[in-house]
Amino acid sequence: VAVDMGRPIFEPKQVPTTLEATQDGKVVRGEVDVDGEKWLVTMVSMGNPHCITFGRAGGEADGPGIKVADLALSTIGPKFESHPCFPARTNTEFTEVVNRNYVKMHVWERGAGATLACGTGACATVVAGVLEGRVDRECTVELPGGPLQIHWRESDDKIIMTGPAERVFAGSITVA
């Protein structure tokens, strides 16, 4: 199934974030101190706020990249979610670049915690990867729940998300 996910939003006040724009009105590789560690983040809204990180400042983000399987997501995720620079809280995508067309991503969703998948987060991750020069506009995002194919079209700035659909439940209810 392919879905038009719309266009990304970058203006910091609309994401929202209090981080200063770092590139053409966008927060790209902005620095955030989380629990004494400096992380590089790119901010994207897909109608909901996303903070995408490829690693720490002076660390993974500048080198080969983080390993999402090694992250203590339940420890670091809530610290990002409730960080003061995210006035509406934020979803956070921790991303490992495998190659320009394939990334692994784990997400901490605001109000929900670690989840198996996040479509808007996968879209925001590819946008952030393109802005940072890490991935191409067509990229597979591997999430714990399975892969999604994301295409950020240059022609109209829209993002098309493609992934599997399968029946997971059937039932009936009687309404009196």
Side-chain angles (χ1 to χ4, degrees):
V1 175
V3 179
D4 178 347
M5 298 294 286
R7 294 178 178 95
I9 299 165
F10 303 109
E11 209 283 316
K13 287 182 183 173
Q14 291 182 22
V15 171
T17 182
T18 60
L19 293 172
E20 299 279 331
T22 56
Q23 172 184 307
D24 301 324
K26 304 171 182 80
V27 177
V28 178
R29 292 177 57 96
E31 196 171 283
V32 177
D33 187 309
V34 178
D35 205 27
E37 291 186 283
K38 295 191 185 325
W39 292 78
L40 296 177
V41 302
T42 295
M43 301 300 302
V44 178
S45 173
M46 292 299 305
N48 55 348
H50 292 278
C51 170
I52 302 91
T53 184
F54 296 90
R56 295 168 189 85
E60 301 98 342
D62 298 317
I66 62 176
K67 300 291 183 199
V68 293
D70 296 340
L71 282 173
L73 189 59
S74 62
T75 301
I76 193 69
K79 293 175 183 178
F80 270 89
E81 176 184 0
S82 60
H83 194 282
C85 71
F86 309 123
R89 296 183 300 151
T90 193
N91 302 297
T92 306
E93 286 76 29
F94 298 90
T95 308
E96 173 183 343
V97 177
V98 176
N99 61 51
R100 293 197 60 81
N101 303 106
Y102 197 91
V103 299
K104 295 179 181 181
M105 184 264 280
H106 287 192
V107 61
W108 183 268
E109 290 197 60
R110 65 181 179 161
T115 60
L116 295 177
C118 178
T120 57
C123 294
T125 295
V126 171
V127 169
V130 169
L131 293 175
E132 291 194 25
R134 297 174 184 278
V135 302
D136 294 334
R137 285 179 169 262
E138 291 188 55
C139 187
T140 298
V141 179
E142 180 186 315
L143 301 118
L148 291 169
Q149 285 71 46
I150 308 298
H151 180 193
W152 183 21
R153 297 191 309 211
E154 201 162 5
S155 62
D156 61 5
D157 205 35
K158 289 189 175 184
I159 302 169
I160 307 301
M161 177 179 70
T162 305
E166 59 186 74
R167 177 178 275 193
V168 294
F169 178 80
S172 63
I173 185 168
T174 304
V175 179

